[in-house]
Amino acid sequence: MSQAAANIDLYPSRIEPEPRITPRQDPVVWSESRAGAPISETEIAHYEENGYLILPDVFVGAELDNLIAAADVALARHGIDDTTVIEEPESRAVRSIFEIHRQNEHLGAVARDPRLANVARFLLGDEAYIHQSRLNYKPGFEGKDFWWHSDFETWHIEDGMPRMRALSMSVMLTDNLVCNGPLLLVNGSHKHYVACVGETPREHYKASLKKQEYGVPDHDSIRKLSERGIRAALARAGSVVIFDCNILHGSGSNISPYPRSNVFFVYNAMSNRCAEPFSGQPPRPQHIANRAHIEPV
Amino acid sequence: MSQAAANIDLYPSRIEPEPRITPRQDPVVWSESRAGAPISETEIAHYEENGYLILPDVFVGAELDNLIAAADVALARHGIDDTTVIEEPESRAVRSIFEIHRQNEHLGAVARDPRLANVARFLLGDEAYIHQSRLNYKPGFEGKDFWWHSDFETWHIEDGMPRMRALSMSVMLTDNLVCNGPLLLVNGSHKHYVACVGETPREHYKASLKKQEYGVPDHDSIRKLSERGIRAALARAGSVVIFDCNILHGSGSNISPYPRSNVFFVYNAMSNRCAEPFSGQPPRPQHIANRAHIEPV
């Protein structure tokens, strides 16, 4: 489809009184040619079919140690703008730092690392820029669960992202184990769009980053889309989990003593940059939805 | 040690102002001879070392179907005394039915099934009776997490169980998956006793069955005992998980659409029947801690 179609709302949500599941109207893998692909045919097929892909042990040894050290510096708020920090609702502990790729040189370099960026460009079939980045820290013992959601639903409605031509990469800084609240992915759900119920309240992002209450899918829709199973992104520190912008995902609580931490980049196709939010409300702040720095990684 | 030692408090708890970890003073596997053991040498060693054992697919096919059907009848409260039912704090949905082996004939027969009872007798080195039984149902979407605890700490302090000569068997009625809040076990923690902080309030059991706040181990103790890792009891419906009375265990929340259900029997050695509670308070009710029906399974 042409760029001119970008302003048509292909994925309405938070309008109808009943939830509705409709088919995805975009490819999952946008590159038509496989020539020079940075991942294997099997990996491409897995991503297309299931909506996610784990690249094990991308960062190992000293490179991983340095990455973790850089994250620790950021988590101690060195060089970090307070307005980009999200704290745990009850304990004030750092939960996320947004726009991390612009605030920490080392983590910014990871976003541009060809092992990540080449895969993003290939899957999106375009040059890519960072729509959102963050460093996440989910502490041991007190990490709460995170309800099922499609990132795209929010990015579309609240940020004006026109098409499903974006993806996330989560670089794991700790082992992701069964017991520490790993990322859970509803297998194959990226091929369906769940229109959610309820209008978006003003400045919804302030509450939703702690606990999302609008733009969340209903139980029946989740049950239907879970027929193909739910997968956990279990992998060692240094692995990278890639997942489509529209896959339903969430995570359970973490009662284990082990923290869970990752650095997270959202790559959006240059041709898919955000327009006016489809909610009709003002855009979310720059550090949550990048509109000011649209340069290819 | 002799039966006469039963009244000495080998495992004090809820007395000191600081938590304390002391070594277990009892064997894990009480049978000295392996002759005629109902499980393999490898299985015995696994149980001794790690504190738990999974017997996969004990009930399959029609036998499993009938077991699930019997549980469904009980969950619909047919033939169930209301005073034995625990409901979810917020939704009133059935969470547990106690003394299930005496209220449902089919499930009572499972408690006496030689595939379970023979293993209990062997590990306890004695005839065994049911100290507690329950049918658990953890619904999809809304199952909350359950904090780390040693069952023995409670049974000792609140029920007067003298020694670590009891074990639990959980017969899984649903698949236990990474995504539906599986039982988590702190590997090897059964070899240590965590004395907890804080006196037991009167009628503590009424609140503790929904959310335990006393007799819970502190973060530092859990962290220390987790050095050997945390295991999830992942297995198909029809499998049986056996775990020592003193192993630290808990479970995360269940945000998946899949419920988690099991029928659960606590086997105690006939020689280890409960004395006066070490808390000095009145015993818990019969349906929670059996004192009236001490007959071998």
Side-chain angles (χ1 to χ4, degrees):
Chain A
M1 296 192 200
S2 73
Q3 269 301 97
N7 291 330
I8 298 170
D9 188 353
L10 287 176
Y11 299 107
S13 183
R14 311 190 199 177
I15 292 169
E16 302 290 331
E18 296 296 326
R20 201 156 63 99
I21 303 180
T22 53
R24 179 187 184 111
Q25 300 187 48
D26 290 305
V28 177
V29 178
W30 284 75
S31 282
E32 287 178 12
S33 164
R34 300 314 193 229
I39 51 176
S40 72
E41 195 58 53
T42 310
E43 289 172 318
I44 297 168
H46 185 284
Y47 181 81
E48 204 287 331
E49 180 68 12
N50 303 298
Y52 73 96
L53 181 66
I54 300 176
L55 305 178
D57 306 320
V58 173
F59 301 93
V60 295
E63 198 182 23
L64 176 57
D65 294 342
N66 292 337
L67 182 49
I68 292 169
D72 285 343
V73 168
L75 285 171
R77 302 196 180 200
H78 292 299
I80 299 298
D81 176 350
D82 276 348
T83 62
T84 66
V85 176
I86 308 293
E87 296 166 347
E88 281 280 344
E90 284 153 35
S91 68
R92 293 212 58 207
V94 173
R95 177 165 165 165
S96 299
I97 302 173
F98 278 78
E99 218 171 23
I100 192 69
H101 74 295
R102 292 179 49 83
Q103 300 195 79
N104 182 293
E105 203 176 333
H106 193 116
L107 300 178
V110 174
R112 297 185 299 275
D113 188 298
R115 288 168 291 182
L116 279 66
N118 284 350
V119 178
R121 280 187 283 265
F122 169 75
L123 292 172
L124 302 177
D126 196 358
E127 288 293 321
Y129 73 95
I130 300 294
H131 171 66
Q132 184 187 90
S133 75
R134 53 182 206 261
L135 175 61
N136 293 311
Y137 183 82
K138 193 171 179 177
F141 293 123
E142 49 179 298
K144 302 291 185 302
D145 47 30
F146 211 91
W147 188 248
W148 302 108
H149 63 286
S150 151
D151 289 329
F152 177 76
E153 197 272 353
T154 296
W155 300 339
H156 182 69
I157 302 302
E158 300 193 19
D159 299 341
M161 185 183 285
R163 308 290 292 265
M164 294 183 186
R165 198 170 186 172
L167 56 80
S168 297
M169 293 203 188
S170 172
V171 181
M172 295 175 173
L173 303 178
T174 52
D175 292 346
N176 275 233
L177 306 162
V178 174
C179 69
N180 68 344
L183 175 68
L184 300 174
L185 299 144
V186 179
N187 204 23
S189 61
H190 63 304
K191 295 193 177 174
H192 308 272
Y193 182 67
V194 183
C196 304
V197 170
E199 260 189 87
T200 315
R202 286 204 164 259
E203 302 203 319
H204 173 231
Y205 68 91
K206 288 187 181 171
S208 75
L209 296 172
K210 296 191 180 183
K211 184 166 168 37
Q212 195 166 349
E213 291 180 25
Y214 295 84
V216 294
D218 60 296
H219 286 193
D220 274 352
S221 299
I222 296 165
R223 205 175 278 118
K224 270 178 214 151
L225 295 183
S226 300
E227 278 168 14
R228 295 189 55 229
I230 292 172
R231 306 274 180 89
L234 304 179
R236 276 184 294 271
S239 303
V240 177
V241 184
I242 310 172
F243 55 101
D244 179 81
C245 59
N246 187 48
I247 193 168
L248 281 186
H249 60 286
S251 56
S253 59
N254 178 15
I255 64 165
S256 88
Y258 315 128
R260 198 163 70 81
S261 177
N262 58 63
V263 57
F264 183 89
F265 305 112
V266 178
Y267 297 89
N268 189 23
M270 287 295 281
S271 57
N272 194 41
R273 53 187 292 183
C274 295
E276 292 306 299
F278 289 92
S279 63
Q281 295 193 11
R284 298 196 295 175
Q286 167 62 24
H287 67 277
I288 296 175
N290 173 26
R291 293 169 179 273
H293 306 286
I294 313 293
E295 58 261 354
V297 288
Chain B
M1 296 190 197
S2 72
Q3 270 301 97
N7 291 329
I8 298 170
D9 187 353
L10 287 176
Y11 299 107
S13 183
R14 311 190 199 177
I15 292 171
E16 302 289 332
E18 296 295 327
R20 201 156 63 100
I21 304 181
T22 52
R24 179 188 183 109
Q25 300 187 48
D26 289 305
V28 177
V29 178
W30 284 75
S31 282
E32 287 179 12
S33 165
R34 301 312 192 231
I39 51 175
S40 72
E41 195 56 55
T42 311
E43 289 172 319
I44 298 168
H46 185 285
Y47 182 81
E48 204 287 332
E49 180 69 12
N50 303 298
Y52 74 96
L53 181 66
I54 300 176
L55 304 178
D57 306 321
V58 173
F59 301 92
V60 295
E63 198 183 21
L64 175 58
D65 294 342
N66 292 336
L67 182 50
I68 292 169
D72 284 343
V73 169
L75 285 171
R77 301 196 179 198
H78 291 297
I80 300 298
D81 177 352
D82 276 349
T83 63
T84 65
V85 176
I86 308 293
E87 295 165 345
E88 281 280 343
E90 284 154 35
S91 68
R92 293 213 57 207
V94 172
R95 176 165 164 166
S96 298
I97 303 174
F98 278 79
E99 219 173 21
I100 192 68
H101 74 295
R102 293 178 49 83
Q103 300 195 81
N104 183 292
E105 203 176 331
H106 193 117
L107 300 177
V110 173
R112 297 184 301 273
D113 189 298
R115 289 168 290 181
L116 279 67
N118 284 349
V119 178
R121 280 187 282 267
F122 169 76
L123 291 172
L124 302 177
D126 196 357
E127 288 294 321
Y129 73 96
I130 300 293
H131 171 66
Q132 184 187 91
S133 75
R134 52 183 206 261
L135 175 61
N136 294 312
Y137 182 82
K138 193 170 178 176
F141 293 125
E142 47 179 299
K144 302 292 187 299
D145 47 30
F146 211 91
W147 189 247
W148 303 108
H149 63 287
S150 151
D151 289 329
F152 178 76
E153 196 274 349
T154 295
W155 300 339
H156 182 69
I157 301 302
E158 300 192 19
D159 299 341
M161 183 182 286
R163 308 289 293 263
M164 294 183 185
R165 197 170 185 173
L167 55 81
S168 297
M169 292 203 192
S170 173
V171 182
M172 295 176 172
L173 302 178
T174 52
D175 292 346
N176 275 233
L177 306 161
V178 175
C179 69
N180 68 344
L183 175 68
L184 301 174
L185 299 144
V186 179
N187 204 24
S189 62
H190 63 305
K191 295 194 176 175
H192 308 272
Y193 182 67
V194 184
C196 303
V197 171
E199 261 188 86
T200 315
R202 285 202 167 260
E203 303 205 318
H204 174 231
Y205 70 91
K206 287 187 181 171
S208 76
L209 296 172
K210 296 190 179 183
K211 185 168 169 31
Q212 194 167 351
E213 292 182 24
Y214 296 85
V216 294
D218 60 296
H219 286 193
D220 274 351
S221 299
I222 296 165
R223 204 175 280 116
K224 271 177 212 150
L225 295 183
S226 299
E227 279 168 13
R228 295 189 55 228
I230 292 172
R231 307 274 180 87
L234 305 179
R236 276 184 296 272
S239 303
V240 177
V241 184
I242 310 172
F243 54 102
D244 179 80
C245 59
N246 186 48
I247 193 168
L248 281 186
H249 60 286
S251 57
S253 59
N254 179 15
I255 65 165
S256 88
Y258 315 129
R260 197 162 72 82
S261 178
N262 58 63
V263 57
F264 183 90
F265 306 112
V266 178
Y267 296 90
N268 189 24
M270 287 295 281
S271 56
N272 194 42
R273 54 187 292 181
C274 295
E276 292 305 299
F278 290 91
S279 63
Q281 294 193 9
R284 299 196 295 175
Q286 167 63 23
H287 66 276
I288 296 175
N290 173 25
R291 295 170 178 271
H293 307 285
I294 313 292
E295 59 262 353
V297 287

